[in-house]
Amino acid sequence: MIPPSIRRRRATDLDGCVAALAEVHRVDGYPLNWPADPHHWLREPHPARAWVAVAADATAAEDADAAIVGHVSVHRLPGPSTGPPARPTAEVTRLFVAPAARGLELGSALLARARQWASARGTDLVLDVTCGDASAAALYERTGWRCTGVSVAPWTAPDGSPVSLRHYALRSDAAPASAARRRASRPAASRSSGGSSTSTS
């Protein structure tokens, strides 16, 4: 079986994304609260980038909606309004894999694409997952994410009960792009003095 390919999300993918999300919600209960407008939910928060996993055997126009079998997006978080500037940070959101495409490590592949995007920009990543979603937590921890704490969500479950969230973070290996530009603009003598250097690739 040819594994699905991952590419940037297009506006024309949204119907297929919603169809896959509906199946994920039916099987897994994600999202916990089905959105009134799932198309809008997938577009918000306004993503800096979004990707879809596309089934390799669904190429005909009539299969366009069924072709989408996974999704992930990232959006940039604002820095602090006061105090020293923080490292650039983005949040991973709307990660899901259709039940029919499970077992192909698509979740890991989608997370890796988000990580690649963040590393190229010297950006740290964060995400939240409900405490009851043990399989998602295991995926994050297996792929290098670190749990940074637990809190109560500002929204409730369908029955009105509180929802606990686990917070995860993944630090970028690369320096922020702004810092790299500042280093590159310094005179060579200044960069080479001090006995240390930083390399990004």
Side-chain angles (χ1 to χ4, degrees), residues 88-113:
T89 303
E91 183 178 19
V92 174
T93 60
R94 314 320 191 215
L95 171 63
F96 59 87
V97 174
R102 304 281 167 83
L104 302 175
E105 299 189 353
L106 273 183
S108 296
L110 287 162
L111 282 173
R113 185 59 59 93

Side-chain angles (χ1 to χ4, degrees), residues 15-117:
D15 284 346
C17 290
V18 169
L21 181 66
E23 186 64 10
V24 171
H25 179 71
R26 183 186 70 80
V27 172
D28 300 326
Y30 174 84
L32 195 59
N33 298 299
W34 182 254
D37 184 346
H39 288 78
H40 180 77
W41 186 81
L42 285 168
R43 294 193 304 267
E44 296 294 331
H46 182 68
R49 195 65 55 90
W51 299 269
V52 292
V54 183
D57 57 352
T59 57
E62 59 268 23
D63 294 331
D65 288 354
I68 305 299
V69 294
H71 179 276
V72 70
S73 60
V74 293
H75 73 99
R76 292 185 176 90
L77 298 178
S81 56
T82 59
R87 287 176 58 89
T89 303
E91 183 178 19
V92 174
T93 60
R94 314 320 191 215
L95 171 63
F96 59 87
V97 174
R102 304 281 167 83
L104 302 175
E105 299 189 353
L106 273 183
S108 296
L110 287 162
L111 282 173
R113 185 59 59 93
R115 185 173 187 169
Q116 182 182 42
W117 174 90

Side-chain angles (χ1 to χ4, degrees), residues 131-157:
C131 287
D133 196 341
S135 60
L139 168 63
Y140 302 140
E141 291 169 11
R142 188 169 65 248
T143 52
W145 292 74
R146 178 176 58 88
C147 182
T148 58
V150 178
S151 70
V152 176
W155 41 271
T156 61

